[in-house]
Amino acid sequence: MIIIKSQHEIDIMRKAGEITAITLEKIREVISPGVTTGDLDRIAEEYIRSRGAIPSFKGYAGMPGAMKFPASICASVNNEVVHGIPGPRRLEEGDIISIDVGVFFNGYHGDAARTYPVGKISEKAEKLIRVTEESFFEGIKHAVEGKRIVDISGAIQRYVEKHGFSVVRDYVGHGIGREMHEAPQVPNYRTRERGPRLQKGITLAVEPMVNEGSYKVKILDNKWTVVTADGSLSAHYENTIVITEGEPKILTIL
Ligand code: MG
């Protein structure tokens, strides 16, 4: 069931979104060769808690048999698609890193992701990051009352594939609110089902995950980290948005 949010709820979600956006900004500022993904996690957790919020991902239950997610952010480097676990890994010049942040504030979640370069990166990696971000904005042109989820999905897929990359099928965007993952699912590729019609007050996390090579992925032995099956690079870009009668409002961009 899709939960339509009231203006009051959207106001709280904007606050959660603002904390999410600032957290990403703080992480972006310190990313450089030599920094560990664990350092980034500490910076994020400290800031989120300083705002009276809670990192949504910490302690999140994964697939059966997996440990609870042990960190406040997901930090996915190079061929890692999503759900990378922060730790002692040191970033190196030329890496790309996707940071996913979830913030729980006053009963509501904000969720956003960015992919950042570490120092100087290849042209191909730069293009992958740019196309992934642009595909989000292509998708949300269709995030308007009266259209359907599939309109968003199709636009993202078309844009990504036009540029020679592929969209991950196994993980999708989602509704968001009191729960981090609510209905409906928001795939980044065209599905046979058209999905529900969009209406004012629906809040969504739209999050293209784009691979340089094949869209196929696999999961590491830690039961969390998703990597590209062919070892190619992957990028991620996500914002929490709210459907209105006109253009969607983006809650996780300052
Ligand atoms: Mg998400």
Side-chain angles (χ1 to χ4, degrees):
M1 192 194 63
I2 297 175
I3 302 163
I4 308 293
K5 273 73 176 184
S6 68
Q7 188 54 52
H8 174 67
E9 291 177 293
I10 290 165
D11 290 344
I12 301 173
M13 287 185 70
R14 177 170 288 288
K15 209 76 197 164
E18 181 202 292
I19 300 168
T20 308
I22 297 175
T23 305
L24 282 164
E25 203 42 42
K26 294 201 172 287
I27 291 170
R28 187 188 63 77
E29 284 167 8
V30 297
I31 285 177
S32 60
V35 171
T36 72
T37 54
D39 295 335
L40 305 178
D41 184 54
R42 274 187 293 280
I43 289 164
E45 179 165 11
E46 210 176 281
Y47 177 69
I48 292 167
R49 293 197 191 278
S50 81
R51 295 289 306 265
I54 294 169
S56 305
F57 300 165
K58 199 159 197 178
Y60 198 83
M63 66 167 73
M67 64 177 159
K68 293 207 156 118
F69 196 78
S72 296
I73 61 170
C74 298
S76 310
V77 182
N78 295 338
N79 62 315
E80 296 173 350
V81 179
V82 286
H83 307 165
I85 300 175
R89 179 173 186 162
R90 267 180 211 290
L91 297 178
E92 291 176 23
E93 179 94 22
D95 285 344
I96 62 170
I97 180 168
S98 302
I99 303 291
D100 197 344
V101 174
V103 166
F104 185 63
F105 178 76
N106 264 1
Y108 291 84
H109 293 272
D111 190 3
R114 305 281 182 265
T115 301
Y116 298 122
V118 181
K120 174 108 185 93
I121 61 172
S122 70
E123 255 174 57
K124 184 122 194 209
E126 248 171 51
K127 181 182 167 195
L128 178 69
I129 292 175
R130 190 180 67 245
V131 167
T132 304
E133 177 172 338
E134 287 168 352
S135 75
F136 165 87
F137 289 97
E138 287 299 314
I140 68 160
K141 285 181 184 167
H142 302 270
V144 211
E145 189 161 61
K147 291 218 177 204
R148 289 183 186 273
I149 293 290
V150 72
D151 298 316
I152 302 174
S153 309
I156 292 172
Q157 180 178 23
R158 263 196 312 279
Y159 190 80
V160 167
E161 292 181 353
K162 187 173 83 183
H163 288 88
F165 300 130
S166 66
V167 290
V168 171
R169 310 294 204 261
D170 292 3
Y171 298 85
V172 298
H174 48 93
I176 180 168
R178 284 197 171 275
E179 303 291 334
M180 192 165 58
H181 297 111
E182 296 183 353
Q185 292 201 334
V186 187
N188 299 302
Y189 58 98
R190 181 168 277 279
T191 55
R192 214 171 302 163
E193 276 147 52
R194 299 166 70 203
R197 210 176 268 286
L198 297 170
Q199 54 175 300
K200 189 180 165 191
I202 291 180
T203 42
L204 302 173
V206 178
E207 51 175 322
M209 288 153 255
V210 177
N211 294 352
E212 185 190 357
S214 154
Y215 65 78
K216 295 211 174 94
V217 298
K218 55 187 188 185
I219 300 173
L220 297 185
D221 287 340
N222 67 21
K223 291 195 160 70
W224 275 106
T225 309
V226 179
V227 298
T228 55
D230 60 10
S232 67
L233 293 178
S234 187
H236 187 196
Y237 185 87
E238 174 182 30
N239 284 300
T240 300
I241 67 167
V242 51
I243 305 298
T244 73
E245 288 131 337
E247 280 186 20
K249 293 208 161 61
I250 302 177
L251 301 181
T252 45
I253 291 180
L254 292 177

